[in-house]
């Protein structure tokens, strides 16, 4: 952001704050202090305050103290990912200090009385008509306040899902029975194997149930944690679909991010060749590629809408969507709007315990309640429970955290944690800044500078060898390809995950410390503009479909002999490179946030928790997601109290998506663009 723009926002925010506080001018000084305490706890952004000011002006309610507080609470609820503000003690109590709850409850009561007396008619919709910025919904005994956008999308999503559930078998099957298909794809010669020469995958009852459900219904939800076989289930569902008579080119695969979409493609290309005697249908599936949801529905920046939408459905007989936990309510509503349930069966897959989407809503988790009472999804939901990933200690840790318990442990030294055996986890207590810096140096030494077992070559050695070759042809020669293979194998060994972007425990500061330590060791020039050097790890942060680069893609920078730099990215068994100046937006990636890591796995993870045990990002879901990115080792860097705080908190996003079976009200729910 330009300095001038930032200054304008800060100035506007200050004036907005003063403007809003002027609405309290008739209060006593003691009351004004109480309001300041409430607002400080809500930690609203400058844009939030400016929008509150605009809403007050729009409703001609500049001096309405109850409305000011309700709007501030609403923005705090939106910040945590809720679709609405539930005006009840439990929800409001999570947002503000306990000492102020009684005062706030009184103001909410005043707001509701004034709402009933129609004092907010130009601001809040309360009936069938919803053509106002805010919508109040008192259906099903609740009192919820929405922004119009989220209200429309939530109601529309609910209706679309009910439509899918009301459809029987979506298409006439021209193939064999489901039992015959299952027997074939799990037979000795047709089964997916654990590697080309490995044993066939086991016929797990939950996995068989998931495949059967997907082949027999227009709508299927499949949830499972790491190691439960979601990937092999997805590929076997594809194999089953083509055997029912659906052409491979009438099946679409998609995910919310480019990285997750690529992992679908990679799964298909790696698992199908393990079949000892593949059928013609299996071979046809090799042409399938994963896509982002935006690309699948053909988003147009000019129209600010999708090409495929209501009235112009996606031409597909089946759609499999992976990593649905990361899909927000607006995007899921758009997806279902673009599908004809009479023609397209929909299969949603993900992990209900992972972090929900960055945007509003936690739709996937709400479909699968913790008590396993599926409600309206009773005949459409399968949860995979058996874990097949090698190792038990990390799995046990993830399970313990997910059950809301702090594991028993004694903190260890960072060096001892680095030297831990496979399938081990450890906790390192926080240190003073200089010691923390030394820990990060040890991490870089251990994974990037020390020699590896294979031919005694370190990451540094490999980068130096690669930098001496013709960069335009590095990936096109046998020796160059093998160099890149080893470099990317080392990249996949480790990753530092953080909850924050800034500060000593944020990824920005950690990346800077590691880069400053590593750059002088790489025998490479340093780009004076962006600080890049040979061996720097980067992550793409914006999709570029022309270059086949997607948000979340991680690559390595390799220097030319002439001082220039190219960034290399892996695509299956191929490597693609681009001059650094041609890349879409990117950021350093020795450390990334847990949110950015979703859809990825690494051998070893260093999970860095915030310094403050009260940080609002400390939740059970973020710990679980971070830990389950690791295949071999996990180091948690943080206080015991931070872990206790995290496991005691579950993300509780508020919405009206009650899946108990009741229908939504018959309000006009045409979607706003």
């Amino acid at each position: 952001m330009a300095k001038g723009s930032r200054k304008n926002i800060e100035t506007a925010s200050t004036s907005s704050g003063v403007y809003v506080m002027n609405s309290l001018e008739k209060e006593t000084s003691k009351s004004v202090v109480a309001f300041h305490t409430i607002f400080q706890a809500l930690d609203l952004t400058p844009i939030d305050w400016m929008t509150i000011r605009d809403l007050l002006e729009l409703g001609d309610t500049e001096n309405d103290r109850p409305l000011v507080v309700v709007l501030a609470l609403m923005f705090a609820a939106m910040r945590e990912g809720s679709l609405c503000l539930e005006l009840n003690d439990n929800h409001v109590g999570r947002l503000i200090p306990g000492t102020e709850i009684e005062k706030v409850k009184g103001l909410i009561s005043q707001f509701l009385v004034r709402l009933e007396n129609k004092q907010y008619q130009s601001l809040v919709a309360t009936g069938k008509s919803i053509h106002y910025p805010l919508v109040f919904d008192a259906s099903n005994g609740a009192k919820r306040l929405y922004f119009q956008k989220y209200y429309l999308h939530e109601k529309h999503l609910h209706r679309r899902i009910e439509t899918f559930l009301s459809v029987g078998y979506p298409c006439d099957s021209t193939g064999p029975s489901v039992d015959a298909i299952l027997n074939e794809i799990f037979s000795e010669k047709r089964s997916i194997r654990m590697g080309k020469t490995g044993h066939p995958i086991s016929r797990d009852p939950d996995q068989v149930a998931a495949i059967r459900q997907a082949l027999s219904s227009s709508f299927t939800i499949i949830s499972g944690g790491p190691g439960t076989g979601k990937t092999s289930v997805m590929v076997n569902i594809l194999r089953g679909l083509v055997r029912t008579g659906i052409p491979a080119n009438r099946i679409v695969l998609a995910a919310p991010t480019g990285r997750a979409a690529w992992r679908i493609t990679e799964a298909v290309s790696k698992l199908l060749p393990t079949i000892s005697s593949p059928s013609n249908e299996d071979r046809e599936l090799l042409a399938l590629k994963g896509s982002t949801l935006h690309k699948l529905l053909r988003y147009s920046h000019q129209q600010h809408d999708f090409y495929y939408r209501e009235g112009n459905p996606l031409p597909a007989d089946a759609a499999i969507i992976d990593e649905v936990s990361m899909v927000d309510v607006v995007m899921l509503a758009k997806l279902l709007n673009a599908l004809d349930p009479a023609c397209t069966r929909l299969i949603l897959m993900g992990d209900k315990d992972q972090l929900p989407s960055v945007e509003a809503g936690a739709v996937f988790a709400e479909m699968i309640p913790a008590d396993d009472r599926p409600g309206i999804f009773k005949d459409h939901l399968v949860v995979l429970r058996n874990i097949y990933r090698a190792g038990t200690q990390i799995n046990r840790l993830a399970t313990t955290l997910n059950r809301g318990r702090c594991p028993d442990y004694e903190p260890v030294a960072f060096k001892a944690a680095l030297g831990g055996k496979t399938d081990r986890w450890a906790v390192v207590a926080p240190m003073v800044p200089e010691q923390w810096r030394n820990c990060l140096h040890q991490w870089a030494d251990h994974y990037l500078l020390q020699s590896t077992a294979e031919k005694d070559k370190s990451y540094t050695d490999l980068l130096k060898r690669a930098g001496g070759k013709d960069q335009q042809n590095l990936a096109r020669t046998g020796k160059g390809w093998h160099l890149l293979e080893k470099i990317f194998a080392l990249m996949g060994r480790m990753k530092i995950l953080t909850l924050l972007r800034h500060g000593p425990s944020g990824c920005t500061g950690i990346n800077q410390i590691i880069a400053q330590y590593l750059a002088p060791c790489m025998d490479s020039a340093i780009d004076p503009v962006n600080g890049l050097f040979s061996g720097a790890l980067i992550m793409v942060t914006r999709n570029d479909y022309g270059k086949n680069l997607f948000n979340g893609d991680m690559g390595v920078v390799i220097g030319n002999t002439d001082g220039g730099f190219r960034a290399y990215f892996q695509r299956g068994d191929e490597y693609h490179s681009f001059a650094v100046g041609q890349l879409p937006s990117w950021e350093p990636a020795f450390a990334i946030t847990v949110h950015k890591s979703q859809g990825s796995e690494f051998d070893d993870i260093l999970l860095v928790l915030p310094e403050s045990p009260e940080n609002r990002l400390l939740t059970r879901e973020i710990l679980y997601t971070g830990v389950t990115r690791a295949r071999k080792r996990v180091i948690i860097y943080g206080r015991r109290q931070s872990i206790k705080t995290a496991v005691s908190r579950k993300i509780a996003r508020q919405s009206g998506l009650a899946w108990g079976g009741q229908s939504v009200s018959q309000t006009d729910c045409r979607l706003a663009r």
Side-chain angles (χ1 to χ4, degrees), residues 247-289:
N249 62 5
R250 295 282 298 179
I251 302 172
V252 295
L253 303 175
T257 67
R259 176 64 180 169
W262 173 248
R263 284 178 65 84
I264 300 174
T265 306
E266 192 175 42
V268 173
S269 64
K270 285 187 174 181
L271 288 181
L272 288 176
T274 69
I275 302 170
S276 60
S277 182
S279 66
N280 290 333
E281 294 99 333
D282 293 328
R283 294 188 183 96
E284 290 174 2
L285 291 170
L286 286 168
L288 285 179
K289 306 292 182 186

Side-chain angles (χ1 to χ4, degrees), residues 1-12:
M1 181 186 294
K3 289 184 178 179
S5 300
R6 186 184 303 276
K7 184 176 180 180
N8 290 339
I9 287 180
E10 289 174 349
T11 301

Side-chain angles (χ1 to χ4, degrees), residues 287-302:
L288 285 179
K289 306 292 182 186
S291 168
T292 64
L293 290 172
H294 279 75
K295 186 176 182 181
L296 176 69
L297 302 183
R298 295 189 188 178
Y299 182 72
S300 168
H301 288 282
Q302 289 77 19

